Amino acid sequence: MSIIIQTLVNKGKTNLFKKLLNCSQSTCECLYSRKSSGTAKKFLSFEEVVAQRRAEARRSIVVQVNSEASFSELYGYCSKYATVNGIHHYKNTGGEHFMLIEFSSEESSKAAFQSCTTHQKDLDIMALNSPFLWFRAATGKKEIYKHSATLASVNGIEPVNEDSLFKDLINCETVSDQIQLLYDRTMLNDLGARLRYMVARQIECVLESLYANIAVRPFGSSINGFGKMGCDLDLVLTNTVTDEMCQPGRRLVYQDKRAEGGRAPWARHMQCVAELLELRVAGARRVQRILNARVPIVKFAHHYTDLECDLCYNNMSGVYMSELLWQLGSLDPRVRPLTVAVRRWAAATGLTNPHPGRWITNFPLTLMVLFFLQQKTTDGFVLPTMKSLVRRAGKEDVRVAEENLNCTFLRDMNKLPRECYAQNEASLQTLLLQFFEYYAQFDFQEKAISINEGAPIRKPNAQPLYIVNPLEQALNVSRNVSFEECERLKSEVRNAAWQLDAGLDRQKGDDWGLVGLIEQKTTRGLKKLLRAGNSHRLVSVKDLFNETDDSEPRNNLRSKLE
Ligand code: CTP
Ligand code: MG
């Protein structure tokens, strides 16, 4: 795999450049060369990245161990069966230790799988092939393994320490550095991505024996480049009938089993998948069936990886949407950090909320950032319009999702002329301020946001917030947003523009720059009381909530206090 790294200009970006050089190849999925003197530009395609991740998962296993100290023994034991590429250690919230082992090839991982065994002869347990295993204590004399290997990562998915994050944000030189730091510290890391593909692979393993051409893929923020550590795992199950599988010239044809019954057959299959999750997928817990929805979903928690998962069927448009977002994020290294900062700000203000409701969610919010980056600000735009990607699509880009939805757009970003993106050099600080200013004056009443057009368009109806679905332009992805929530969005972007503009100078105190924007309102209230010497008032938790108006931050604070 070849990569070319974008050359960057100012200091904040130079730090990024250094980090990119240090990061492992598998995490460098979005590098390109800008302003390089005639160097060929190279973007990896989304499909290449996904194929790499899926292959990686096929040659990996996750083994529960006693502690980090089990590494040496595990490495030595597994090396007897196959060549080990690397071992990553992590703990789940239950304090249990795990090692993700990547073997050198799928072939060699098969040898390791053949050496696996089931627990014991127990009528309640049915044998199961799964990439999630545990390492039994050695019986008899312990073997001594000599090697010089070291763990690729230790405590690899540890939650971000918020106190140290805020301390480091306060000590940054510029707001741009703060935004970059927030992104570097909180973005989904390599191990986080690997584990998401392992869960997908585990479900695939169970279903492979039931369905002929099954695939389970992550989509959404786990793979679109905007995910943070600990984000939920959206999964889609597909059962594709390939041309190869239905050749008319072949005379021996499988007898089909037609699903009879009133409800859409796939709702019934998803019911069956939910049963299988409960019965056959080790680590799957709290399985919930939401099968009467337009897109039937099975929700579950995956204990070994600490992931909250949503599994749906055949929602390939969700995958293509993730591809589109990933591509746009890969075009310029400012897109992802800026989006992550906006997502974090929205969560802190209570504009977004992990629970579904009448408020905006991260996906439409991300579209708002992308749309802003398509605008010709002072010097030029950062991102191309979706229209221009569709116009440049070739035969190889044709994709049709469920319900004949045309999801065709240019996939190979190397074919996109240089003048179509990154036409300005604005710093992250400038872009964040301009983002808030842009939406502070946006005409939400009359206009809709469309990344297809890259310019505001007339709203087709009176829904308070209108953000066109880029793949299905007749739909509004924010149709759930109420008038009150839209008003709150308008007022929060105005506040943020004002607050950021007034707090750009790091001499302004601890709340300067990004810090003031992403602090929970409740924490801010707490700090104010403490600064004013009113700590005695903290006996009443109610006092703290006087500043807040939403239940989510309150719950956060309450759990902190308890
Ligand atoms: N999606 C879509 N159309 C919508 C809503 C969602 O195509 N109206 C797709 C997008 O690809 C989105 C994915 O479904 O990224 C998952 O949706 P969601 O979980 O709501 O958003 P995420 O991007 O995953 O963000 P979060 O981190 O909040 O889960
Ligand atoms: Mg999601």
Side-chain angles (χ1 to χ4, degrees):
M1 179 178 80
S2 56
I3 52 170
I4 294 167
I5 297 177
Q6 179 182 11
T7 52
L8 302 151
V9 271
N10 71 25
K11 183 168 171 291
K13 291 177 186 173
T14 315
N15 290 339
L16 169 66
F17 179 70
K18 283 188 201 144
K19 267 180 207 125
L20 288 178
L21 281 178
N22 285 333
C23 67
S24 76
Q25 193 165 303
S26 58
T27 57
C28 289
E29 292 164 348
C30 60
L31 313 176
Y32 82 110
S33 171
R34 179 151 67 104
K35 289 212 151 184
S36 54
S37 46
T39 328
K41 293 163 191 165
K42 171 82 181 153
F43 294 99
L44 270 183
S45 76
F46 177 82
E47 279 174 4
E48 283 169 308
V49 173
V50 170
Q52 271 180 26
R53 287 287 186 198
R54 281 169 61 81
E56 205 172 73
R58 293 180 90 94
R59 56 172 190 265
S60 301
I61 54 176
V62 176
V63 185
Q64 185 168 4
V65 289
N66 255 344
S67 75
E68 196 187 313
S70 312
F71 163 68
S72 200
E73 217 182 323
L74 183 66
Y75 180 91
Y77 184 82
C78 289
S79 300
K80 287 200 299 194
Y81 298 99
T83 313
V84 173
N85 258 7
I87 303 193
H88 306 252
H89 163 266
Y90 73 92
K91 272 195 290 184
N92 66 0
T93 43
E96 295 160 324
H97 294 255
F98 298 86
M99 305 268 182
L100 183 151
I101 307 176
E102 185 197 346
F103 295 105
S104 61
S105 67
E106 198 183 334
E107 236 5 80
S108 67
S109 71
K110 278 187 189 143
F113 272 120
Q114 272 157 15
S115 78
C116 297
T117 177
T118 42
H119 188 199
Q120 57 192 35
K121 283 190 182 150
D122 181 338
L123 285 180
D124 290 342
I125 299 175
M126 294 201 194
L128 162 103
N129 288 335
S130 159
F132 284 83
L133 307 156
W134 61 279
F135 195 36
R136 185 155 39 199
T139 49
K141 210 171 139 232
K142 251 194 180 177
E143 280 183 70
I144 307 290
Y145 300 103
K146 283 198 179 142
H147 58 82
S148 55
T150 50
L151 275 169
S153 58
V154 180
N155 262 350
I157 54 164
E158 201 172 25
V160 182
N161 180 322
E162 290 285 304
D163 289 344
S164 100
L165 172 68
F166 272 88
K167 208 167 119 220
D168 294 343
L169 286 172
I170 291 167
N171 288 330
C172 280
E173 289 294 321
T174 64
V175 175
S176 298
D177 290 349
Q178 289 183 321
I179 299 170
Q180 192 63 53
L181 181 88
L182 177 75
Y183 174 69
D184 294 339
R185 288 279 185 85
T186 59
M187 68 184 271
L188 186 64
N189 65 13
D190 175 52
L191 182 57
R194 283 172 187 263
L195 289 175
R196 283 163 164 76
Y197 279 89
M198 289 307 295
V199 174
R201 178 67 196 138
Q202 183 191 16
I203 301 170
E204 238 174 38
C205 286
V206 171
L207 297 179
E208 261 169 6
S209 56
L210 290 177
Y211 297 93
N213 205 16
I214 205 95
V216 179
R217 300 162 210 270
F219 72 105
S221 58
S222 292
I223 60 159
N224 67 15
F226 300 106
K228 60 173 188 183
M229 287 302 289
C231 66
D232 292 356
L233 171 59
D234 300 296
L235 291 167
V236 61
L237 173 71
T238 54
N239 183 31
T240 324
V241 179
T242 59
D243 290 345
E244 161 93 307
M245 286 162 74
C246 52
Q247 288 182 20
R250 295 194 185 168
R251 295 194 50 204
L252 292 177
V253 185
Y254 291 111
Q255 296 282 3
D256 294 324
K257 175 79 191 170
R258 287 191 184 277
E260 305 288 341
R263 277 158 64 211
W266 269 98
R268 293 185 64 198
H269 285 288
M270 289 303 280
Q271 173 80 39
C272 167
V273 168
E275 297 291 322
L276 288 169
L277 280 165
E278 276 174 349
L279 283 169
R280 308 295 292 144
V281 177
R285 293 183 181 175
R286 290 192 273 118
V287 179
Q288 274 177 274
R289 299 143 175 88
I290 305 168
L291 301 175
N292 290 325
R294 195 176 66 92
V295 181
I297 287 183
V298 178
K299 286 174 153 317
F300 63 98
H302 194 270
H303 172 73
Y304 303 138
T305 54
D306 272 345
L307 290 169
E308 293 292 331
C309 311
D310 282 359
L311 174 66
C312 59
Y313 170 69
N314 204 25
N315 179 25
M316 279 308 285
S317 61
V319 177
Y320 296 139
M321 189 75 85
S322 306
E323 183 170 22
L324 175 67
L325 264 51
W326 187 90
Q327 281 184 203
L328 292 173
S330 72
L331 274 176
D332 186 294
R334 294 167 294 178
V335 180
R336 289 171 182 161
L338 182 72
T339 310
V340 164
V342 170
R343 285 167 83 137
R344 179 80 189 224
W345 157 79
T349 52
L351 279 172
T352 53
N353 184 318
H355 311 288
R358 293 157 69 81
W359 35 83
I360 191 164
T361 59
N362 278 326
F363 169 60
L365 191 66
T366 303
L367 293 180
M368 283 178 70
V369 180
L370 300 177
F371 178 75
F372 156 72
L373 290 171
Q374 293 172 328
Q375 309 307 305
K376 287 195 182 76
T377 48
T378 21
D379 311 309
F381 54 88
V382 176
L383 290 178
T385 61
M386 168 85 182
K387 215 165 55 178
S388 68
L389 297 185
V390 173
R391 209 173 38 235
R392 289 184 167 80
K395 273 203 312 283
E396 63 288 2
D397 298 313
V398 173
R399 305 283 186 282
V400 180
E402 68 281 359
E403 291 168 20
N404 267 335
L405 190 64
N406 188 352
C407 299
T408 303
F409 52 87
L410 180 69
R411 262 52 190 199
D412 181 359
M413 291 293 101
N414 299 299
K415 292 185 185 156
L416 192 65
R418 183 62 192 82
E419 62 275 13
C420 292
Y421 59 91
Q423 290 300 298
N424 78 38
E425 295 279 333
S427 67
L428 282 168
Q429 166 176 319
T430 306
L431 289 177
L432 185 62
L433 186 57
Q434 285 177 350
F435 169 84
F436 291 128
E437 287 170 348
Y438 179 76
Y439 284 110
Q441 52 73 47
F442 190 84
D443 182 2
F444 286 96
Q445 187 152 353
E446 297 291 331
K447 301 289 184 195
I449 289 159
S450 159
I451 70 160
N452 304 70
E453 298 298 323
I457 59 167
R458 178 164 286 283
K459 259 172 47 170
N461 60 36
Q463 286 166 356
L465 179 63
Y466 204 107
I467 303 175
V468 175
N469 182 326
L471 296 178
E472 213 171 347
Q473 291 179 57
L475 299 183
N476 172 12
V477 299
S478 53
R479 66 189 171 283
N480 62 310
V481 176
S482 66
F483 176 77
E484 291 75 18
E485 285 297 321
C486 184
E487 287 302 301
R488 222 154 70 77
L489 172 69
K490 281 152 71 177
S491 119
E492 290 292 356
V493 287
R494 277 196 300 270
N495 288 346
W498 176 86
Q499 190 182 345
L500 185 59
D501 195 30
L504 288 176
D505 183 355
R506 69 189 296 261
Q507 310 303 330
K508 290 269 165 73
D510 284 358
D511 287 353
W512 79 281
L514 189 63
V515 178
L517 292 179
I518 65 168
E519 256 181 344
Q520 291 278 351
K521 276 185 177 180
T522 42
T523 325
R524 226 182 290 161
L526 174 67
K527 270 189 171 173
K528 246 191 228 168
L529 286 173
L530 289 172
R531 251 187 248 127
N534 281 337
S535 55
H536 61 279
R537 288 183 59 205
L538 293 184
V539 287
S540 160
V541 174
K542 226 173 81 203
D543 278 342
L544 282 174
F545 300 142
N546 286 342
E547 268 212 357
T548 69
D549 50 3
D550 230 284
S551 57
E552 180 55 17
R554 288 179 202 197
N555 292 339
N556 287 349
L557 184 69
R558 191 162 292 142
S559 62
K560 265 185 202 157
L561 290 174
E562 275 164 3

